[in-house]
Amino acid sequence: MPARIIDGKLLAKQIRDDLAQKIKAMVNAGNQQPGLAVVLVGDNPASQLYVSMKQKACAEVGIYSEEHRLPASISQEELLAVIERLNKDPKIHGILVQLPLPEGFDEQVVINHIKPEKDVDGFHPINIGKLQTGQKTFVPCTPAGVMKMLDSIGIDLTGKKAVVVGRSNIVGKPVAQLLLQRNATVTICHSKTNNLAEECRQADVLVVAVGHPELVKADWVKPGAVVIDVGISKVGSKTVGDVAFDEVKEVAGWLTPVPGGVGPMTIAMLLTNTVAAAN
Ligand code: NDP
């Protein structure tokens, strides 16, 4: 039986509809409208697209949003000054600096400058530390979206063998942490992992966040496994994931598509974090 598809687009729409209701109720009760500031430095076309998608999503649910487009020629100090202003701006509850920053900027210094209470991406070291220690915090948006997708199929992760491919600070590591918190037995793989295919074959839940088109083949997947494909790559004019969708869907129990999988969930979780920041 082919895998059942976890429809990220549909799930994200449900989350956005719920948020729209919640925001309406907040505003009707006399509370402030949640506000998000998105900071984009330089003219990376993919970043420009992501930023405009995030702004459109804000408008749809009733989040006030501001876009700060800055030239790549500005200094790091000037960028920090913009963040400083946003940190103090009462209209703004969430600040997102679109990554990657152009060459010459120290991303960690820039992220560290965002007030942790406004760090809706969950990238500030204070928020990462809170996540590690199981404290309430902003969960990074893509990992939060992955967990929502798993929850949507009603899987009990306790005792399940989870394999995460990719160890970035924004996806792989926090996903692994969240799976661990839910009592999965977690293996993290990366570019230096020996026999990656064999590691993947052990997984009841396989999360792939690499950025290598169709890396994961059908014979890497345990029959019936849940496969979450985070990767996004352009191959010609086509957007593909890290999982060879057509062949893996014949083996997996559940599978996320690309596009229409984790991507829309990431944006929905950004909106969720922004509303939480305003409360
Ligand atoms: P990074 O480049 O920061 O990390 C990639 C990870 O993959 C690294 O840990 C790297 O290992 C590992 N890796 C690279 N090649 C291999 C390989 N051949 N075998 C095993 N592991 C490998 O990427 P991100 O985590 O930021 O993003 C990963 C993918 O997810 C990208 O395609 C990105 O576009 C996508 N993405 C999608 C989002 C969404 O909303 N759907 C949001 C964020 C990202 P090592 O550490 O050893 O170098």
Side-chain angles (χ1 to χ4, degrees):
M1 198 174 69
R4 280 178 280 181
I5 303 303
I6 310 177
D7 186 341
K9 216 169 153 184
L10 183 67
L11 199 54
K13 184 180 179 312
Q14 288 162 357
I15 294 170
R16 290 203 311 267
D17 288 349
D18 287 350
L19 283 174
Q21 294 294 328
K22 191 171 176 182
I23 293 167
K24 212 187 224 171
M26 277 168 72
V27 173
N28 285 346
N31 296 308
Q32 206 188 352
Q33 185 184 18
L36 175 71
V38 181
V39 180
L40 174 62
V41 185
D43 52 10
N44 178 324
S47 294
Q48 284 177 345
L49 177 67
Y50 292 142
V51 165
S52 56
M53 283 160 69
K54 287 167 185 175
Q55 288 225 277
K56 187 167 166 264
C58 280
E60 277 169 14
V61 298
I63 292 176
Y64 166 77
S65 76
E66 283 181 7
E67 189 179 314
H68 296 260
R69 282 192 186 228
L70 307 167
S73 58
I74 66 155
S75 68
Q76 181 153 301
E77 282 61 40
E78 287 170 306
L79 173 57
L80 296 183
V82 170
I83 294 174
E84 195 55 48
R85 278 204 303 280
L86 296 170
N87 279 341
K88 293 186 180 138
D89 185 339
K91 288 193 305 303
I92 298 301
H93 303 95
I95 302 170
L96 179 153
V97 176
Q98 185 65 43
L99 302 179
L101 288 170
E103 236 170 83
F105 290 89
D106 184 333
E107 283 185 359
Q108 198 59 61
V109 170
V110 172
I111 289 167
N112 290 0
H113 214 75
I114 299 171
K115 201 170 161 184
E117 296 87 334
K118 296 192 177 189
D119 167 41
V120 283
D121 258 339
F123 294 163
H124 192 286
I126 287 188
N127 291 327
I128 293 172
K130 284 186 170 177
L131 185 69
Q132 286 287 323
T133 51
Q135 297 177 61
K136 195 171 180 314
T137 185
F138 296 114
V139 176
C141 304
T142 302
V146 168
M147 297 311 288
K148 282 272 181 209
M149 294 180 105
L150 291 172
D151 287 341
S152 77
I153 62 169
I155 185 174
D156 178 4
L157 293 166
T158 299
K160 293 280 188 304
K161 169 96 177 143
V163 173
V164 179
V165 189
R167 56 174 164 180
S168 70
N169 289 333
I170 64 171
V171 189
K173 282 184 199 156
V175 164
Q177 183 63 37
L178 292 166
L179 290 164
L180 186 62
Q181 281 174 11
R182 303 283 284 276
N183 299 321
T185 301
V186 183
T187 300
I188 306 176
C189 299
H190 45 77
S191 68
K192 309 290 187 291
T193 296
N194 289 329
N195 207 347
L196 180 63
E198 187 49 39
E199 294 292 345
C200 291
R201 262 195 296 276
Q202 308 298 315
D204 302 308
V205 176
L206 178 61
V207 181
V208 194
V210 171
H212 184 306
E214 304 188 336
L215 174 73
V216 174
K217 311 293 184 204
D219 63 352
W220 293 32
V221 174
K222 182 171 167 177
V226 180
V227 181
I228 309 282
D229 188 355
V230 181
I232 302 176
S233 302
K234 276 274 176 204
V235 176
S237 59
K238 217 177 148 204
T239 303
V240 298
D242 288 344
V243 175
F245 184 89
D246 288 340
E247 55 179 272
V248 169
K249 87 171 187 305
E250 300 304 324
V251 182
W254 292 92
L255 178 59
T256 65
V258 177
V262 177
M265 291 300 291
T266 296
I267 295 183
M269 299 322 292
L270 170 69
L271 304 176
T272 303
N273 282 352
T274 304
V275 173
N279 276 296

